[in-house]
Amino acid sequence: MSALPRPIINELRAVVGDTWVVVEEKAIERYLYDETAYGVRPQPIKDVIVVKPGSTEEVAEVLRIANKYKVPVYVRGGGTGLVGGAIPIKPGIVMSLERMDKVIIDSENMVAEVEAGASFGKLLEEADKHNLMFPAHPGDEGASVGGLIACNAGGSRAVKTGVVRSYVLGLEVVLPSGEVLKLGAKTIKNNFGYNLAHLFIGSEGILGVITRAYLRLYPKWGYTATVIIPFDSRVKAFRAAKKLLFSGFIPLALEYFDRRVIETSAKYLGLQWPIKEGDYFLMIMLAEALEDTLFLELEYLDRVAREEESLEPFATQRDDEQKTLLKIRSEIFSSLKSETFDILDTTVPLGNVDRFIENIIDVEKRYGIWLPVYGHVGDGNVHVHVLNYQGFSRDQLEKITEEVYNAALMLGGVITGEHGIGYIRRKYVKRLLGDTWIETMRKLKAVLDPNNVLNPGKVLPEE
Amino acid sequence: MSALPRPIINELRAVVGDTWVVVEEKAIERYLYDETAYGVRPQPIKDVIVVKPGSTEEVAEVLRIANKYKVPVYVRGGGTGLVGGAIPIKPGIVMSLERMDKVIIDSENMVAEVEAGASFGKLLEEADKHNLMFPAHPGDEGASVGGLIACNAGGSRAVKTGVVRSYVLGLEVVLPSGEVLKLGAKTIKNNFGYNLAHLFIGSEGILGVITRAYLRLYPKWGYTATVIIPFDSRVKAFRAAKKLLFSGFIPLALEYFDRRVIETSAKYLGLQWPIKEGDYFLMIMLAEALEDTLFLELEYLDRVAREEESLEPFATQRDDEQKTLLKIRSEIFSSLKSETFDILDTTVPLGNVDRFIENIIDVEKRYGIWLPVYGHVGDGNVHVHVLNYQGFSRDQLEKITEEVYNAALMLGGVITGEHGIGYIRRKYVKRLLGDTWIETMRKLKAVLDPNNVLNPGKVLPEE
């Protein structure tokens, strides 16, 4: 027996058409979860109606109906979030934007006009056809562009040109009231009332529904290389990373992982990790407009590697080899997922990345566990997996999570650099963000969404 | 006879101390104006009390008093704004943050901890002492850091690493209620409730008072060069600029100006513009961590220049020469100011910079006037001066302004890329931003500043 008001289904059908309102349990199943690790993800509510609007106007109508009945709306993109942000936890509407997936490349101005439901992969592909690129790479290419923006996604290739926020030139947002905000233009600079767009970027779907965006593209940097620098100690690897960052050298990506982690991923993919020496690796991705610049950077990396006592570095400019290396790096999360309690997203100030790792090693020793560590050392954003260790209770796993968080917090860091708060990190909000922050956020939420229909139970703590 | 409530002076004195409350007409004079061109700047109200708080707590107390009496507060930094944002237009308090000018460089993490009243010049100087840099350069070094953030300043060196928004890692903001928001951390990535900071960045002082910030610094790129490429036609210069931008080459700055403009500035400074050939110039600033990379870029620029039929390029790596060139470029505005009706801040999509220039030439021809044009062609942000042409009425000058705006708008541009709305561009808000945008902004303003004490009469149109 559904807790939802009876007439709502027919009203939704009248807006989007019968085909695009889904209520059958089996068909709904795949709209109930995201990529949040099993250990921490919330139990979804199955008493939901899945609605698939085909236009901004339909999104607006659905929100008007939701407001009329005061029914929650959980907006869904690619379902690749890691903090339960898209999981319905109260009876309501799951609004999937999958039909709104147009990507238009304005190559003349190097801008992509993208509907929110378009996949990140489609954006990359379409840009590539025009010899343009979207430099950031927040992992899973199944993510939707709307989701990337709503969550201000980051990823590995944010060192040179920034996280998703830096690419958003314009935004169309449907407010919970059904009104449509059109913000920004196709210009790189814009101070004509632009700040509103930035309120929605990273607000994790609690203030409005992003339906369309102008994204800045770059000319494809034709010359690329991937370099793997192996080390025989974790401390040496991090020292080298710091040296590179503090030298003013700006790669596209600067990643860290160890042999155990990367071989787990390679094995999961049925591939071989090609570097035989060393147990700790820096992976540097380079992309340049001039080939000679790339060569200079390769030489420079080689020099620094040797100064920092690396083992033999491996460099390749071959596309297929680079893709394989990135693939193995990108699938670390998937390869560990089945045994993962939670994937953490701690981020520390740049100068503290090496100290952070030492603290993690200390936690490992004290608990006698393996904490897989990898990530975006180039911006201080290091992922730590807490696994389902045998013989450990849920409380103990949460205690270990706290220890990792504290390791970051003590060094002036934050508990999430890119994944966001969503559902699972809400419990830390009261402790870590001041009352004034929470009160201000609540006030803004109440003004924009007076009936609290958008993603209720997420981001803000319970009152 | 003051319109301000009598007891307010004593209450303000009790908060900040007698020395820091100024009421004498002569002493107040220099707090009444900013750099807005004479033709368009509003007449300041002289019935104001200048208050100079020395701490965040004092800022909060001043705002509490202002709220108690419902008295306007005009927050003031360096007074370098160009749109009347800091000019008091109702009887009230001018709050100058000049005493809050500490700059602490955390070189370990490459972060500057800056009080809002510190000058931009001081930030540069202190960073330099630690071999670090703040790459953006929004013109006048007398600007305050708080002002740069409140107005999301841009400037010439935004091509490589972005406008001021991209550098703000954390923010302390005093809300009109006197509550203090502490947002962000010293990390490059942060998705733990960060979006609030971005609401205040670029809000031009109408939502809260920025008192302190964490700013991202970069290692000083040790190898720099400035290249001037002269052309015999404006069209060729813009075609070359577009070619560079679309090649994926990313300089620190890519500027345009013509001989008449640059010689006006050189003469104003008592200097000589050293390039004898050509009437139209691109100025490219390069900064790299590796000297050989710089050489490659210089070679590349030379090649493109010749392909695009430039005259003989001039390149220098000498510090003194580079400083002189930048000085002459930076003082264009000052050198024209006495004859300027208004300096415009039009910005167009990158692919349209050349068409925009053609439209400007067309306006010049139709009115038989000179429109000095220069600026940040590297991000589409081109400044146009409307001068006090002899025999032209105020209405005609405003008509010319409209024509320049229309030239940008028709090409998908905006009327301000970096200077903001302030007072003088408010009249365009209703026409150019939708009702929903204005209503949403009003609602947010009403929640944060229910008595409308912060910078009333700015940014938002009159109701």
Side-chain angles (χ1 to χ4, degrees):
Chain A
M1 187 65 196
S2 172
L4 295 168
R6 282 180 149 261
I8 201 169
I9 293 187
N10 287 331
E11 291 186 35
L12 291 170
R13 283 183 177 140
V15 170
V16 300
D18 292 4
T19 325
W20 308 115
V21 176
V22 182
V23 289
E24 301 73 27
E25 204 179 319
K26 231 178 143 172
I28 280 176
E29 187 70 14
R30 73 184 188 89
Y31 293 92
L32 299 178
Y33 297 94
D34 59 13
E35 289 290 322
T36 307
Y38 308 123
V40 289
R41 78 178 182 196
Q43 197 52 40
I45 285 287
K46 302 196 169 189
D47 183 13
V48 294
I49 304 167
V50 175
V51 180
K52 305 178 184 178
S55 68
T56 302
E57 243 334 293
E58 290 182 10
V59 170
E61 283 305 320
V62 171
L63 290 177
R64 284 194 197 102
I65 293 169
N67 258 293
K68 186 167 89 178
Y69 293 107
K70 299 187 172 46
V71 160
V73 177
Y74 295 95
V75 182
R76 187 177 180 85
T80 59
L82 294 162
V83 290
I87 297 178
I89 53 174
K90 296 178 183 186
I93 296 165
V94 170
M95 179 153 69
S96 170
L97 299 181
E98 65 198 71
R99 291 174 62 211
M100 297 176 66
D101 69 344
K102 276 198 209 66
V103 175
I104 299 167
I105 303 296
D106 173 358
S107 58
E108 178 78 6
N109 294 306
M110 295 197 282
V111 173
E113 304 177 41
V114 192
E115 284 187 326
S119 74
F120 174 49
K122 184 170 177 181
L123 168 65
L124 295 180
E125 212 172 277
E126 294 296 321
D128 193 68
K129 284 182 195 165
H130 293 82
N131 220 18
L132 293 169
M133 69 183 287
F134 183 80
H137 197 281
D140 195 325
E141 295 185 6
S144 74
V145 170
L148 296 185
I149 298 171
C151 299
N152 185 30
S156 53
R157 305 195 326 196
V159 182
K160 193 163 178 150
T161 41
V163 297
V164 167
R165 184 187 296 281
S166 356
Y167 299 89
V168 180
L169 306 180
L171 221 50
E172 181 182 83
V173 181
V174 185
L175 296 175
S177 61
E179 291 165 295
V180 180
L181 270 176
K182 289 174 191 289
L183 306 163
K186 287 186 185 176
T187 58
I188 294 177
K189 280 183 181 162
N190 183 357
N191 273 349
F192 200 60
Y194 193 62
N195 43 6
L196 273 188
H198 282 280
L199 179 64
F200 295 100
I201 301 169
S203 67
E204 301 188 33
I206 68 168
L207 300 179
V209 180
I210 293 166
T211 44
R212 182 188 293 270
Y214 289 152
L215 296 175
R216 179 179 184 178
L217 300 175
Y218 284 75
K220 204 153 65 177
W221 294 317
Y223 303 96
T224 63
T226 301
V227 181
I228 310 284
I229 309 180
F231 293 88
D232 60 12
S233 102
R234 193 138 61 163
V235 172
K236 279 185 195 164
F238 273 82
R239 213 167 48 199
K242 251 179 92 167
K243 178 153 181 183
L244 287 172
L245 289 171
F246 282 74
S247 73
F249 167 76
I250 303 183
L252 191 58
L254 174 51
E255 297 284 301
Y256 164 84
F257 41 78
D258 65 22
R259 178 169 295 281
R260 186 163 171 189
V261 159
I262 203 73
E263 288 197 339
T264 303
S265 179
K267 195 170 155 195
Y268 169 82
L269 292 165
L271 295 168
Q272 279 273 325
W273 178 244
I275 290 92
K276 301 296 167 218
E277 275 195 321
D279 283 330
Y280 307 95
F281 303 97
L282 293 181
M283 171 168 161
I284 296 121
M285 296 173 66
L286 303 173
E288 292 297 338
L290 306 175
E291 190 169 21
D292 287 339
T293 307
L294 190 78
F295 292 153
L296 284 176
E297 292 180 347
L298 288 171
E299 266 177 46
Y300 174 71
L301 283 175
D302 201 67
R303 195 166 71 237
V304 172
R306 282 163 215 285
E307 281 166 13
E308 297 300 313
E309 302 170 42
S310 84
L311 303 165
E312 190 63 28
F314 170 84
T316 178
Q317 285 182 261
R318 276 180 50 182
D319 256 6
D320 56 343
E321 288 184 346
Q322 293 194 72
K323 272 197 185 125
T324 303
L325 293 171
L326 180 59
K327 179 84 183 157
I328 301 176
R329 159 62 191 91
S330 295
E331 297 287 327
I332 293 176
F333 169 69
S334 306
S335 70
L336 291 168
K337 194 179 172 193
S338 66
E339 35 175 340
T340 291
F341 173 73
D342 195 5
I343 170 175
L344 310 185
D345 180 37
T346 36
T347 304
V348 296
L350 274 192
N352 288 337
V353 283
D354 47 355
R355 249 157 288 172
F356 178 65
I357 282 300
E358 283 162 24
N359 290 351
I360 296 301
I361 296 173
D362 178 60
V363 179
E364 282 184 323
K365 281 190 187 145
R366 280 190 286 115
Y367 285 84
I369 54 171
W370 175 42
L371 287 168
V373 173
Y374 59 97
H376 322 306
V377 62
D379 45 38
N381 179 203
V382 182
H383 300 302
V384 178
H385 278 248
V386 177
L387 304 179
N388 292 305
Y389 306 105
Q390 254 193 330
F392 279 72
S393 69
R394 188 181 178 85
D395 277 1
Q396 282 171 307
L397 296 176
E398 280 179 358
K399 183 79 176 51
I400 294 167
T401 303
E402 289 270 340
E403 296 243 22
V404 175
Y405 282 165
N406 288 337
L409 294 168
M410 273 171 16
L411 295 169
V414 295
I415 68 167
T416 171
E418 50 186 30
H419 298 170
I421 296 169
Y423 178 83
I424 68 171
R425 296 205 180 98
R426 246 171 21 132
K427 59 184 168 186
Y428 301 101
V429 169
K430 270 197 180 158
R431 201 178 87 198
L432 298 178
L433 297 172
D435 289 347
T436 309
W437 187 94
I438 296 170
E439 266 326 296
T440 306
M441 200 66 209
R442 274 199 215 290
K443 281 182 193 165
L444 299 181
K445 166 81 170 160
V447 165
L448 295 176
D449 185 14
N451 295 321
N452 193 23
V453 300
L454 271 186
N455 224 353
K458 309 292 176 69
V459 184
L460 289 164
E462 300 281 4
E463 301 209 43
Chain B
M1 186 65 198
S2 173
L4 296 168
R6 282 179 150 262
I8 201 169
I9 293 188
N10 286 331
E11 291 186 36
L12 291 170
R13 282 184 175 139
V15 169
V16 300
D18 292 3
T19 325
W20 308 116
V21 177
V22 182
V23 288
E24 300 74 26
E25 204 179 319
K26 232 176 141 176
I28 280 177
E29 187 70 15
R30 73 184 188 90
Y31 294 91
L32 299 180
Y33 298 94
D34 60 14
E35 289 290 322
T36 308
Y38 309 123
V40 290
R41 78 178 183 196
Q43 197 52 39
I45 286 287
K46 302 196 169 188
D47 183 12
V48 295
I49 304 167
V50 175
V51 180
K52 305 178 184 178
S55 68
T56 301
E57 243 333 293
E58 291 182 8
V59 170
E61 282 304 320
V62 171
L63 289 176
R64 284 193 197 102
I65 292 168
N67 258 292
K68 186 166 89 179
Y69 293 107
K70 300 188 170 46
V71 159
V73 177
Y74 295 95
V75 183
R76 188 178 179 83
T80 59
L82 294 162
V83 290
I87 297 179
I89 52 173
K90 295 178 183 186
I93 295 165
V94 170
M95 179 153 69
S96 170
L97 299 180
E98 65 197 73
R99 291 173 62 211
M100 297 177 64
D101 70 344
K102 277 197 209 66
V103 175
I104 299 168
I105 304 296
D106 173 358
S107 58
E108 178 78 6
N109 293 306
M110 296 196 282
V111 173
E113 305 176 40
V114 191
E115 284 186 327
S119 75
F120 174 50
K122 185 170 177 181
L123 168 65
L124 295 180
E125 212 172 278
E126 293 297 320
D128 193 69
K129 285 183 194 163
H130 293 81
N131 219 19
L132 294 168
M133 69 183 287
F134 183 80
H137 196 282
D140 195 325
E141 295 184 7
S144 75
V145 170
L148 295 184
I149 298 170
C151 299
N152 185 30
S156 53
R157 304 195 327 197
V159 182
K160 192 164 180 151
T161 42
V163 297
V164 167
R165 184 185 297 281
S166 359
Y167 300 88
V168 180
L169 306 180
L171 220 49
E172 182 182 82
V173 180
V174 185
L175 295 175
S177 62
E179 291 165 296
V180 180
L181 270 176
K182 288 174 192 290
L183 305 163
K186 287 185 185 175
T187 58
I188 294 177
K189 279 182 182 163
N190 183 357
N191 273 350
F192 199 60
Y194 193 62
N195 45 5
L196 274 189
H198 282 279
L199 179 63
F200 294 99
I201 301 168
S203 67
E204 301 186 35
I206 69 168
L207 300 179
V209 180
I210 293 165
T211 44
R212 182 188 294 269
Y214 290 151
L215 296 175
R216 178 179 186 178
L217 300 176
Y218 284 75
K220 202 153 67 178
W221 295 316
Y223 303 97
T224 63
T226 300
V227 180
I228 309 284
I229 309 181
F231 294 88
D232 59 12
S233 101
R234 192 138 62 162
V235 172
K236 279 185 195 165
F238 273 82
R239 211 167 50 198
K242 251 179 91 167
K243 177 153 183 184
L244 287 172
L245 289 171
F246 282 74
S247 73
F249 167 76
I250 304 182
L252 190 59
L254 173 51
E255 297 283 303
Y256 163 83
F257 41 79
D258 65 20
R259 177 170 296 281
R260 185 162 171 189
V261 160
I262 203 72
E263 288 198 338
T264 304
S265 180
K267 195 169 154 194
Y268 169 81
L269 293 165
L271 295 167
Q272 279 273 324
W273 178 244
I275 290 90
K276 300 295 167 218
E277 274 195 322
D279 283 331
Y280 307 94
F281 303 98
L282 294 181
M283 172 169 161
I284 296 121
M285 296 172 67
L286 303 172
E288 292 297 337
L290 306 175
E291 190 169 21
D292 286 340
T293 307
L294 190 79
F295 292 153
L296 284 176
E297 292 180 346
L298 288 171
E299 266 175 47
Y300 174 72
L301 283 176
D302 201 65
R303 196 165 70 237
V304 172
R306 281 164 216 283
E307 281 165 14
E308 297 300 312
E309 303 169 43
S310 83
L311 303 166
E312 188 64 28
F314 170 84
T316 178
Q317 286 183 260
R318 277 180 50 181
D319 256 7
D320 56 342
E321 287 183 348
Q322 292 194 72
K323 272 195 186 126
T324 303
L325 292 171
L326 180 59
K327 179 85 184 157
I328 300 176
R329 159 63 190 93
S330 296
E331 298 286 328
I332 292 175
F333 169 69
S334 307
S335 71
L336 291 169
K337 193 177 172 194
S338 66
E339 33 174 342
T340 292
F341 173 72
D342 194 5
I343 170 175
L344 311 184
D345 181 36
T346 37
T347 304
V348 295
L350 275 192
N352 289 337
V353 282
D354 47 355
R355 249 156 288 173
F356 179 65
I357 282 299
E358 283 162 26
N359 289 351
I360 296 301
I361 296 173
D362 178 60
V363 179
E364 282 184 324
K365 281 190 187 145
R366 280 190 286 115
Y367 286 83
I369 54 172
W370 175 44
L371 287 168
V373 173
Y374 60 96
H376 322 307
V377 62
D379 46 37
N381 180 203
V382 181
H383 299 302
V384 178
H385 278 248
V386 177
L387 304 178
N388 292 305
Y389 307 105
Q390 253 192 331
F392 280 72
S393 69
R394 187 181 179 86
D395 278 0
Q396 283 171 306
L397 296 177
E398 280 177 358
K399 183 79 177 51
I400 294 166
T401 302
E402 289 269 340
E403 296 244 22
V404 175
Y405 283 165
N406 288 337
L409 293 168
M410 273 172 15
L411 295 168
V414 295
I415 68 167
T416 171
E418 50 185 31
H419 297 170
I421 297 169
Y423 178 84
I424 68 170
R425 295 203 181 99
R426 246 173 18 135
K427 59 183 168 186
Y428 301 100
V429 169
K430 271 196 181 161
R431 200 178 88 200
L432 298 178
L433 298 172
D435 288 348
T436 309
W437 187 94
I438 295 170
E439 265 327 294
T440 306
M441 199 67 209
R442 274 201 216 289
K443 281 183 193 165
L444 299 181
K445 167 80 169 161
V447 164
L448 295 176
D449 185 14
N451 295 320
N452 193 23
V453 300
L454 270 186
N455 223 353
K458 308 291 176 69
V459 183
L460 290 164
E462 299 283 3
E463 301 210 42

